[in-house]
Coordinates of all heavy atoms in Angstrom, one line a residue:
W145 N 7.9 -29.4 6.8 CA 6.5 -28.9 7.0 C 6.2 -29.2 8.5 O 5.6 -28.3 9.2 CB 5.6 -29.7 6.1 CG 4.1 -29.6 6.5 CD1 3.3 -30.6 6.8 CD2 3.3 -28.4 6.5 NE1 2.0 -30.2 7.1 CE2 2.0 -28.8 6.9 CE3 3.6 -27.0 6.3 CZ2 1.0 -27.9 7.0 CZ3 2.5 -26.1 6.5 CH2 1.2 -26.6 6.8
E146 N 6.5 -30.3 9.0 CA 6.2 -30.6 10.5 C 6.9 -29.6 11.3 O 6.4 -29.1 12.3 CB 6.6 -32.0 10.8 CG 6.5 -32.4 12.3 CD 6.7 -33.7 12.6 OE1 6.9 -34.6 11.8 OE2 6.8 -34.1 13.9
A147 N 8.2 -29.3 11.1 CA 9.0 -28.3 11.9 C 8.3 -27.0 11.7 O 8.2 -26.3 12.8 CB 10.4 -28.3 11.4
L148 N 7.9 -26.6 10.6 CA 7.2 -25.3 10.4 C 6.0 -25.2 11.3 O 5.8 -24.2 12.0 CB 6.9 -25.0 9.0 CG 6.2 -23.8 8.6 CD1 6.9 -22.5 9.0 CD2 5.9 -23.7 7.1
V149 N 5.1 -26.2 11.2 CA 3.9 -26.2 11.9 C 4.2 -26.2 13.4 O 3.6 -25.4 14.2 CB 3.0 -27.4 11.6 CG1 1.9 -27.6 12.5 CG2 2.5 -27.3 10.1
G150 N 5.1 -27.0 13.9 CA 5.4 -27.1 15.3 C 5.9 -25.8 15.8 O 5.5 -25.4 17.0
F151 N 6.7 -25.1 15.1 CA 7.2 -23.8 15.7 C 6.4 -22.6 15.5 O 6.5 -21.6 16.2 CB 8.7 -23.6 15.1 CG 9.6 -24.6 15.7 CD1 10.1 -25.7 15.0 CD2 10.0 -24.5 17.1 CE1 11.0 -26.5 15.6 CE2 10.8 -25.4 17.7 CZ 11.3 -26.4 16.9
I152 N 5.4 -22.7 14.5 CA 4.3 -21.7 14.5 C 3.5 -21.8 15.8 O 3.1 -20.9 16.4 CB 3.5 -21.8 13.2 CG1 4.3 -21.3 12.0 CG2 2.2 -21.0 13.4 CD1 3.5 -21.5 10.7
C153 N 3.3 -23.1 16.2 CA 2.5 -23.3 17.4 C 3.3 -22.9 18.7 O 2.7 -22.8 19.7 CB 2.1 -24.8 17.5 SG 0.9 -25.4 16.3
S154 N 4.6 -22.8 18.5 CA 5.5 -22.5 19.7 C 5.4 -21.1 20.2 O 5.8 -20.8 21.3 CB 6.9 -22.9 19.4 OG 7.5 -21.8 18.6
S155 N 4.8 -20.2 19.4 CA 4.8 -18.8 19.8 C 4.0 -18.6 21.1 O 2.8 -19.1 21.3 CB 4.1 -18.0 18.7 OG 3.9 -16.7 19.1
N156 N 4.7 -18.0 22.2 CA 4.0 -17.8 23.5 C 3.4 -19.1 24.0 O 2.3 -19.1 24.5 CB 2.9 -16.7 23.4 CG 3.5 -15.4 23.0 OD1 4.6 -15.0 23.4 ND2 2.8 -14.6 22.2
N157 N 4.2 -20.1 24.0 CA 3.7 -21.4 24.4 C 4.7 -22.3 25.1 O 5.9 -21.9 25.2 CB 3.2 -22.2 23.1 CG 1.9 -22.9 23.3 OD1 1.6 -23.3 24.5 ND2 1.3 -23.3 22.2

Side-chain angles (χ1 to χ4, degrees):
W145 166 243
E146 177 174 348
L148 176 60
V149 171
F151 288 106
I152 288 176
C153 290
S154 76
S155 175
N156 295 324
N157 218 341

